[in-house]
């Protein structure tokens, strides 16, 4: 029997960081589903496709790419057709096009299938936007991480500065607001709070505090 921890929430709530830390500490397989939509988007951009008008081509890309989420000494590596794209999928270009790509229902169906297959027979922690509602509505633990949009933009800004990216705080805030709107208004797989999810507002919490709170909830159920 596998044990599934499902975590949803908007961009910048610390989902990725917290999931990674908990996966290491509790020896769970970490599945970053946003990275999978980012791989489809990166491959599209590589093939010169940057509009969702080309829906059929985008669906074909999603059907034909090979995505691997690998762990090396606690570090997650994302491989796209065998190539390490861990950093490339976080570029401004990919971030700007991933939300529309992920709104295509046929692409979501393919990714959801793949996500369920990746979790088969394993104890996993999976994060995204529709994990608690669509991918694993019967997950053992369902958590929704939230935070004020200004705080989320501030966090992203600091992360980007550390990576040498040059966007201003205002640009990031604007993009997060657009992405939130798109993520919440998708025809399929829209971001919403599952009725039985535990909601944690992380606005005034440190990463350590959020991690410990989520870990306690998991350990309480994982007996
Ligand atoms: O978590 P992230 O920023 O890496 O996600 C990238 C995009 O993919 C984001 O715009 C929402 C979308 N996404 C989704 O639609 N469903 C998921 N399960 C995960 C991400």
């Amino acid at each position: 029997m596998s044990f599934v921890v499902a975590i949803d929430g908007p961009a910048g709530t610390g989902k990725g960081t917290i999931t990674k830390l908990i996966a290491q500490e509790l020896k769970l397989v970490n599945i970053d589903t946003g990275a999978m939509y980012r791989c489809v988007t990166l491959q599209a951009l590589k093939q010169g496709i940057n509009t969702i008008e080309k829906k059929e081509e985008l669906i074909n890309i999603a059907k034909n790419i090979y995505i691997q989420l690998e762990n090396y000494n606690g570090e997650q590596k994302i491989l796209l057709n065998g190539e390490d794209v861990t950093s490339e999928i976080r570029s401004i270009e990919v971030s700007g096009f991933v939300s529309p790509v992920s709104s295509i229902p046929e692409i979501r169906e393919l990714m959801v299938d793949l996500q369920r297959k990746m979790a088969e027979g394993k104890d996993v922690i999976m994060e995204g936007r529709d994990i608690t509602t669509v991918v694993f509505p019967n997950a053992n633990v369902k958590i929704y991480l939230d935070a004020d949009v200004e705080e989320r933009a501030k966090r992203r800004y600091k992360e980007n500065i550390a990576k040498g990216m040059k966007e201003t705080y205002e640009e990031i805030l604007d993009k997060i607001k657009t992405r939130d709107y798109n993520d919440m208004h998708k025809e399929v797989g829209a971001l919403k709070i599952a009725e039985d999810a535990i909601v944690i507002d992380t606005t005034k919490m440190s990463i350590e505090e959020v991690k410990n709170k989520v870990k306690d909830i998991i350990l309480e159920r994982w007996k």
Side-chain angles (χ1 to χ4, degrees):
M1 265 283 284
S2 65
F3 186 86
V4 177
V5 178
I7 303 191
D8 284 326
T13 45
K15 288 191 309 290
T17 311
I18 284 147
T19 303
K20 202 166 106 183
L21 291 171
I22 293 180
Q24 280 170 17
E25 289 182 23
L26 299 183
K27 305 271 180 284
L28 294 165
V29 175
N30 177 9
I31 303 177
D32 171 359
T33 63
M36 297 164 73
Y37 291 98
R38 286 175 181 272
C39 281
V40 178
T41 307
L42 176 62
Q43 185 61 35
L45 292 173
K46 280 179 190 252
Q47 292 182 210
I49 298 167
N50 58 7
T51 160
I52 54 161
E53 308 282 289
K54 301 211 167 155
K55 189 176 155 189
E56 291 312 315
E57 280 101 319
L58 288 165
I59 296 170
N60 255 324
I61 286 170
K63 273 187 192 156
N64 291 305
I65 62 171
Y66 181 45
I67 301 169
Q68 290 163 281
L69 310 181
E70 305 273 345
N71 275 294
Y72 295 99
N73 303 324
E75 278 305 305
Q76 183 157 67
K77 280 212 188 313
I78 317 292
L79 305 180
L80 165 58
N81 296 330
E83 188 194 339
D84 184 352
V85 293
T86 315
S87 315
E88 225 181 323
I89 57 164
R90 310 276 161 206
S91 70
I92 293 174
E93 292 75 17
V94 172
S95 298
F97 188 39
V98 62
S99 193
V101 169
S102 71
S103 71
I104 299 172
E106 291 87 342
I107 292 184
R108 300 202 69 80
E109 210 176 297
L110 289 161
M111 293 301 119
V112 168
D113 273 357
L114 188 54
Q115 288 151 18
R116 290 185 182 141
K117 281 204 188 94
M118 283 180 169
E120 253 168 30
K122 302 192 182 106
D123 296 326
V124 304
I125 183 162
M126 187 179 285
E127 54 115 343
R129 303 293 190 287
D130 61 342
I131 314 306
T132 57
T133 53
V134 176
V135 185
F136 285 112
N138 299 317
N140 302 79
V141 178
K142 292 167 71 167
I143 290 172
Y144 186 96
L145 292 184
D146 211 350
D148 290 350
V149 68
E150 285 83 8
E151 175 62 27
R152 291 190 278 124
K154 236 186 271 169
R155 291 175 188 171
R156 212 19 75 82
Y157 177 66
K158 278 193 206 153
E159 269 172 33
N160 286 4
I161 291 278
K163 288 185 200 157
M165 290 160 92
K166 295 206 164 54
E167 278 180 305
T168 65
Y169 167 78
E170 284 72 23
E171 281 167 339
I172 292 173
L173 179 64
D174 229 41
K175 285 185 186 170
I176 288 191
K177 283 183 179 167
T178 309
R179 200 127 75 86
D180 280 357
Y181 183 87
N182 290 339
D183 288 345
M184 287 171 185
H185 292 83
K186 281 181 186 130
E187 193 188 320
V188 179
L191 173 66
K192 54 182 175 237
I193 305 176
E195 253 176 46
D196 53 350
I198 298 169
V199 180
I200 303 174
D201 183 347
T202 72
T203 309
K204 296 197 167 72
M205 292 171 82
S206 67
I207 288 284
E208 187 70 11
E209 285 170 327
V210 182
K211 184 200 78 182
N212 287 335
K213 183 157 184 163
V214 174
K215 218 171 114 179
D216 285 348
I217 296 168
I218 296 171
L219 291 173
E220 179 60 30
R221 306 257 172 111
W222 199 7
K223 284 179 177 162

